[in-house]
Amino acid sequence: MNHLLIDVKCADADTKLKALNELKNVCSQCRACELAKTRTTTVFSDGSPDAKIMLIGEAPGADEDASGIPFVGRAGQLLNEFLQETGIDRQKDLYICNTIKCRPPQNRVPSNEEKLACQAYLIGQISIVRPKIILLCGSTAAQTFIKQEFKISMIRGKWLNIFDNIEVMAIFHPSYLLRNHSMEQGSPRWLMQKDLENVKKKLDEILTKATI
Ligand code: URA
């Protein structure tokens, strides 16, 4: 997807917000796939348009479909706990969105057609926000950018070279962690904690560089 990014370099926060609102408006009326028939509302984003980190999840669930805000259900609450623990501010440091913007019935995994129909919104969001770090949260988000076969447990936690000037890391999806409670060393929750600590370290480096 790298070559598809539009260069909106150096845009200030207000310009980004305006561009994102325009895209959100278009998205809210989208009928490009069948999910338009069953959604309550499109779920575009949460957090700051000027954030250094963009977190991309899978798709809205029931709570998100009802509220129009990504990651507000149980998975989102668990994500919030991890963010708080590592000192990452959800509203200031993060721009949160999903691979697709409408809830699939029964929360099934989005189809390739649905992902393709929604791709322009995601590319638009990345192009406008221009984050320094992208977190691919779970297999669906990771598969959108990494074409070869992989298991999320094998690639998570590594900095990936996918986009120029954007550090990319795949992390576990919090829904998976809701089914895995252990915090023992080496457990999925323990690894998530370590990955986000690494992300926070990278964020601090980026912020320090920006002020020098
Ligand atoms: N899971 C996701 O991937 N995204 C959400 O917004 C909520 C749950």
Side-chain angles (χ1 to χ4, degrees):
M1 261 197 207
N2 197 3
H3 59 290
L4 292 175
L5 293 189
I6 308 150
D7 217 357
V8 202
K9 252 189 226 137
C10 304
D12 59 37
D14 286 349
T15 312
K16 288 181 179 187
L17 183 59
K18 197 163 162 261
L20 286 167
N21 278 339
E22 279 170 21
L23 191 59
K24 183 179 176 178
N25 254 334
V26 176
C27 179
S28 70
Q29 287 152 50
C30 182
R31 309 211 67 81
C33 80
E34 290 291 297
L35 297 182
K37 293 183 186 156
T38 49
R39 73 175 180 230
T40 306
T41 184
T42 51
V43 178
F44 194 71
S45 70
D46 192 28
S48 166
D50 210 25
K52 297 282 179 277
I53 308 173
M54 178 183 278
L55 183 142
I56 305 172
E58 179 174 299
D63 295 306
E64 291 78 19
D65 178 64
S67 66
I69 305 167
F71 283 103
V72 290
R74 281 178 65 227
Q77 283 161 25
L78 183 57
L79 176 67
N80 289 349
E81 286 174 29
F82 277 99
L83 293 173
Q84 267 160 23
E85 197 61 40
T86 37
I88 298 173
D89 187 316
R90 173 169 167 142
Q91 292 306 325
K92 183 165 92 30
D93 298 325
L94 279 194
Y95 178 87
I96 305 183
C97 61
N98 282 305
T99 306
I100 66 164
K101 314 306 185 205
C102 296
R103 181 191 182 201
Q106 280 82 48
N107 299 343
R108 63 160 169 73
V109 174
S111 68
N112 285 339
E113 290 72 27
E114 288 156 1
K115 289 206 285 183
L116 206 60
C118 229
Q119 186 168 277
Y121 300 118
L122 185 56
I123 293 168
Q125 287 173 304
I126 300 172
S127 299
I128 296 166
V129 176
R130 277 279 159 173
K132 297 286 183 207
I133 298 171
I134 290 182
L135 299 178
L136 303 173
C137 188
S139 301
T140 297
Q143 277 159 8
T144 304
F145 294 89
I146 305 166
K147 293 301 171 199
Q148 71 267 34
E149 288 282 299
F150 64 85
K151 277 201 162 135
I152 192 82
S153 55
M154 299 304 289
I155 58 154
R156 54 129 284 282
K158 299 182 173 79
W159 291 110
L160 306 169
N161 192 7
I162 296 177
F163 294 112
D164 293 339
N165 302 320
I166 306 178
E167 304 274 0
V168 180
M169 185 191 281
I171 57 172
F172 284 131
H173 195 286
S175 298
Y176 172 66
L177 302 176
L178 282 171
R179 304 188 293 271
N180 291 274
H181 294 271
S182 168
M183 261 314 269
E184 242 175 66
Q185 192 166 336
S187 68
R189 283 195 187 213
W190 185 86
L191 291 169
M192 178 74 156
Q193 185 72 31
K194 294 288 153 209
D195 290 349
L196 291 179
E197 282 168 13
N198 255 330
V199 171
K200 171 69 169 135
K201 213 166 122 212
K202 181 74 79 184
L203 173 67
D204 289 343
E205 283 167 19
I206 289 166
L207 292 174
T208 308
K209 256 197 217 154
T211 55
I212 292 173

